[in-house]
């Protein structure tokens, strides 16, 4: 696995470092009339005109303070920034916890940095470090302190070191905080200014049963959790768990405090900010409390602030909901999130390989339109959570979703459920590693076939229009960590195995081990992918109909390159015949993976694909 001789991308990673102290000798940031109007309009949507006018000066002050931390070189770089080139074919995001790789005597973030420098340079350019702050539960997503690095992982210096070589994605876990956070402790203690920081009621029956049935939630736990405060018992809104208390953005002071943290993350090196569970960030009794007008206004306000203060920084929304609701977070393509998690993709790809038919995937993929030159899908297949099912609702039938559930259980995984509000539950998420979801232990298949199936699925996500994301354990073909769940950990722990660096290196150096075979195959795919202009997120995409056995997508960067990506989704050989009329004027094609050359004859391009074979045919 040693890649010491691999070419290193010449792309400049990371942004220019901010000044440690604000420089007020230079002119302050000045907003245009249009920028003010945009922000005031969004504030008015959330709070009304009077509160909006009273809140805006504090937001302006925060932006000015942030701007004073920008050195002149960064100001000039921001002014010259071209938003349409924010993401290119060279962008691939690696998703990881800060401590998935460990080594005795070294901080986990330093171990991660060493691994990235050794194995990922020239292929991965962006690293999403899942919440690396002190936390009390939910593997980092119940944050105690938003402004400190968990000392068990490392320090801000370690984050800064990574930012010099890679783009970084930070988590904005702004829907909720830990019940052990300073903010919530101040609420419990009755500190002035914190009485409305959270959504709380004086009785457990404060929400009418009819209203409760309307509320969309991804969990089955009680919505309201009792806490004893200096003012008596309070029942606090907890969308996700009793330890995760929801912030109350109806209070504009919560908004300004969160904006201050958002801009602090940018100063600390965030190039992308992931808005975790933003679906549920605003609550209005009598509604589903999801995807509300105020929710979208809040995301658009974050975008408006960054557009002015830090235009190179992007927002990505994490909204595990049906596809139509999910893509609503693009706004009009220019005013909300620049990236949206493509939640429909994982269950559809899994369904494709379970059935040996790409019909549902291809039909859905043909429906995807180009959002804008500045907004793109984030194409992922596996994550630290699992395979969400809501994205496939309305695309797959209930029977097809049920088959995914049954196959997950048969492959040693688990299923998480959500409350429907009427006393019933429905499947919400498949908790299983991607390798185990595709491959069943002990079924008599060869390792080579299982590795090929795994890589074939990954190739689809790499070829489709958008920005690809890869969860670190996926690079190694990690299998289910069932023992962790049976030992009392949450179901999601099945896909959160940590690796001792030395032990992992030994597996990677063993050519007969599936870990090494998957790692080599994944890196080969990524390295080929990032070198092709046709895989630019804004390059055209056409999904061809070549039958159910082969998923075929034609990508084209006009006047530069076309790539025909073919993926055999079955366990038997397939010969695909592509009408030349579907391909344009080119006659000769070269496979970027095998280096084989193909030529159209009698107006047909014929390509033989082995079981789960992949071909990326390029025409310059």
């Amino acid at each position: 696995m040693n890649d010491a001789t691999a070419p290193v991308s010449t792309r400049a990673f990371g942004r220019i470092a901010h000044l440690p102290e604000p420089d007020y000798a230079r002119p302050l940031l000045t907003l245009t009339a249009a920028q003010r109007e945009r922000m005031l309009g969004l504030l008015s949507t959330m709070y009304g005109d009077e509160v909006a006018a009273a809140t805006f000066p504090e937001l302006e002050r925060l932006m000015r303070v942030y701007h004073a931390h920008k050195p002149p070189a960064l100001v000039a770089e921001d002014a010259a920034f071209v938003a349409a080139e924010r993401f290119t074919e060279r962008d691939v995001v690696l998703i990881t916890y800060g401590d998935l790789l460990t080594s005795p005597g070294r901080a986990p973030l330093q171990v991660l940095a060493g691994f990235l420098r050794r194995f990922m340079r020239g292929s991965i350019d962006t690293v999403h470090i899942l919440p690396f702050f002190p936390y009390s539960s939910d593997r980092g997503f119940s944050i105690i302190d938003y402004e400190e690095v968990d000392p068990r992982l490392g320090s801000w210096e370690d984050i800064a070191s990574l930012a010099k070589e890679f783009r970084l994605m930070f988590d904005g876990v702004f829907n909720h905080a830990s019940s052990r956070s300073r903010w919530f402790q101040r609420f419990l203690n009755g500190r002035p200014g914190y009485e409305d920081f959270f959504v709380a009621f004086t009785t457990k029956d404060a929400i009418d049963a009819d209203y409760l049935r309307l509320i969309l939630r991804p969990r089955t736990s009680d919505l309201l959790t009792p806490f004893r405060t200096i003012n008596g018992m309070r029942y606090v809104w907890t969308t996700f768990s009793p330890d995760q208390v929801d912030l109350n953005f109806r209070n504009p002071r919560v908004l300004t405090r969160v904006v201050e943290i958002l801009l602090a993350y940018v100063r600390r090196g965030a190039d992308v900010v992931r808005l975790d569970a933003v679906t549920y960030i605003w609550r209005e009794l009598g509604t589903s409390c999801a995807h509300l007008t105020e929710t979208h206004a809040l995301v658009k306000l974050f975008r408006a602030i960054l557009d002015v203060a830090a235009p190179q920084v992007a927002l990505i929304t994490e909204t595990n909901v049906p596809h139509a609701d999910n893509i609503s977070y693009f706004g009009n393509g220019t005013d909300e999130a620049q990236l949206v998690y493509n939640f429909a993709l994982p269950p559809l790809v899994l369904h494709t390989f379970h059935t040996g038919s790409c019909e549902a995937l291809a039909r859905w993929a043909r429906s995807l339109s180009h959002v804008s030159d500045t907004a793109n899908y984030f194409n992922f297949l596996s994550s630290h959570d699992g395979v969400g099912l809501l994205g496939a609702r309305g695309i797959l039938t209930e029977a097809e979703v049920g088959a995914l559930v049954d196959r997950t259980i048969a492959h040693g995984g688990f299923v998480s459920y959500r409350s429907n509000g009427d006393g019933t539950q429905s499947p919400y998420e498949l908790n299983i590693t991607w390798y185990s979801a595709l491959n069943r232990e002990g079924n008599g298949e060869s390792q080579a076939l299982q590795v090929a199936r795994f890589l074939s699925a990954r190739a689809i996500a790499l070829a489709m229009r958008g920005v690809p994301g890869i969860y670190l354990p996926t690079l190694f073909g990690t299998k289910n960590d069932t023992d962790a769940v049976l030992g009392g950990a949450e179901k999601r722990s099945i896909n959160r195995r940590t690796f001792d660096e030395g032990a992992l290196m030994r597996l990677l150096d063993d050519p007969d081990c599936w870990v090494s075979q998957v790692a080599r195959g994944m890196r080969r795919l990524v390295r080929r992918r990032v070198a092709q202009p046709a895989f630019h997120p804004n390059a055209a995409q056409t999904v061809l109909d070549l039958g159910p056995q082969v998923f075929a997508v034609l990508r084209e960067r006009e006047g530069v390159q076309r790539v025909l990506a073919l993926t055999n989704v079955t366990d038997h050989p397939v010969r695909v015949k592509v009408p030349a009329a579907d391909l344009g004027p080119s006659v000769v094609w070269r496979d970027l993976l095998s280096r084989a050359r193909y030529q159209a004859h009698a107006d047909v391009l014929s390509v033989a694909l082995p079981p789960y074979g992949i071909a990326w045919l390029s025409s310059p």
Side-chain angles (χ1 to χ4, degrees), residues 62 97 118 139 159 215 269-270 279 292 371 392 398 419 427 433 511 563:
L62 291 172
Y97 285 102
R118 184 178 178 186
R139 195 62 163 88
I159 297 294
I215 297 172
T279 305
L292 300 184
V371 181
E398 288 300 315
S419 173
T433 71
V563 171

Side-chain angles (χ1 to χ4, degrees), residues 383-401:
S383 74
H384 60 290
D385 288 341
V387 178
L389 293 172
L390 293 186
R393 296 287 180 182
I395 303 172
L396 297 179
T397 67
E398 288 300 315
E400 289 169 334
V401 171

Side-chain angles (χ1 to χ4, degrees), residues 288-609:
S288 66
C289 298
H291 319 302
L292 300 184
T293 299
E294 293 86 351
T295 301
H296 285 284
L298 181 58
V299 178
K300 290 178 180 179
L301 180 62
F302 289 155
R303 166 72 181 268
I305 289 169
L306 292 176
D307 280 352
V308 170
Q312 296 187 67
V313 178
L315 292 175
I316 178 171
T317 51
E318 187 264 341
T319 53
N320 184 3
V321 294
H323 184 68
D325 292 323
N326 186 35
I327 63 176
S328 70
Y329 288 87
F330 281 127
N332 67 11
T334 65
D335 66 346
E336 204 162 342
Q338 289 98 339
L339 287 174
V340 165
Y341 273 76
N342 201 350
F343 271 105
L345 186 61
L348 283 171
V349 171
L350 201 56
H351 168 78
T352 294
F353 283 86
H354 283 176
T355 62
S357 170
C358 67
E359 288 182 311
L361 173 65
R363 185 170 55 250
W364 166 78
R366 289 189 195 99
S367 74
L368 300 179
S369 59
H370 181 47
V371 181
S372 77
D373 283 348
T374 58
N376 291 282
Y377 290 98
F378 183 61
N379 293 328
F380 74 111
L381 293 182
S382 52
S383 74
H384 60 290
D385 288 341
V387 178
L389 293 172
L390 293 186
R393 296 287 180 182
I395 303 172
L396 297 179
T397 67
E398 288 300 315
E400 289 169 334
V401 171
L404 289 177
V405 170
D406 293 342
R407 185 69 68 95
T408 295
I409 294 171
H411 285 215
F414 300 90
V415 180
S416 294
Y417 292 82
R418 70 182 181 95
S419 173
N420 295 322
D422 59 1
T424 64
Q425 300 177 2
S426 58
Y428 170 76
E429 182 180 85
L430 308 177
N431 302 120
I432 192 167
T433 71
W434 190 256
Y435 192 93
S436 294
L438 290 172
N439 301 310
R440 185 174 182 177
E441 292 276 358
N443 67 351
E445 289 183 331
S446 69
Q447 179 174 294
L449 185 70
Q450 293 194 344
V451 170
R453 181 187 290 126
F454 178 88
L455 294 174
S456 182
R458 305 306 307 192
I460 289 177
L462 288 170
M464 287 186 64
R465 180 162 55 195
V467 177
I470 301 171
Y471 182 45
L472 179 64
T474 304
L475 290 175
F476 317 133
T478 305
K479 298 180 181 180
N480 290 336
D481 189 3
T482 309
D483 290 343
V485 182
L486 297 179
E490 60 179 310
K491 294 176 182 177
R492 287 174 167 175
S493 297
I494 199 170
N495 195 22
R496 297 175 177 177
R497 186 191 302 270
T498 59
F499 300 86
D500 173 77
E501 183 185 35
L504 177 62
M505 292 304 109
R506 288 189 288 275
L507 293 176
L508 292 174
D509 287 336
D510 180 358
D512 296 324
C513 179
W514 91 93
V515 173
S516 176
Q517 293 170 7
V518 165
R520 292 175 185 276
M522 285 292 295
R523 192 167 53 183
R524 177 168 166 261
L525 284 172
V526 173
R527 290 172 68 83
R528 294 288 188 273
R529 196 257 187 211
V530 300
Q532 314 310 320
F535 286 140
H536 190 290
N538 293 334
Q541 172 172 293
T542 304
V543 179
L544 305 181
D545 185 0
L546 303 180
Q549 298 175 318
V550 175
F551 183 75
V553 57
L554 180 65
R555 302 293 310 282
E556 181 176 6
R557 186 76 178 201
E558 188 173 358
V560 180
Q561 184 191 36
R562 282 176 295 160
V563 171
L564 175 62
L566 302 173
T567 307
N568 180 359
V569 302
T570 74
D571 61 1
H572 55 266
V574 173
R575 179 170 289 277
V576 61
K577 296 184 177 181
V578 189
D582 290 342
L583 300 176
S586 293
V587 175
V588 178
W589 297 74
R590 178 174 60 90
D591 188 353
L592 298 168
L593 301 174
S594 70
R595 306 301 188 186
R597 295 175 69 86
Y598 296 87
Q599 185 167 348
H601 296 284
D603 295 327
V604 171
L605 181 69
S606 179
V607 182
L609 296 171

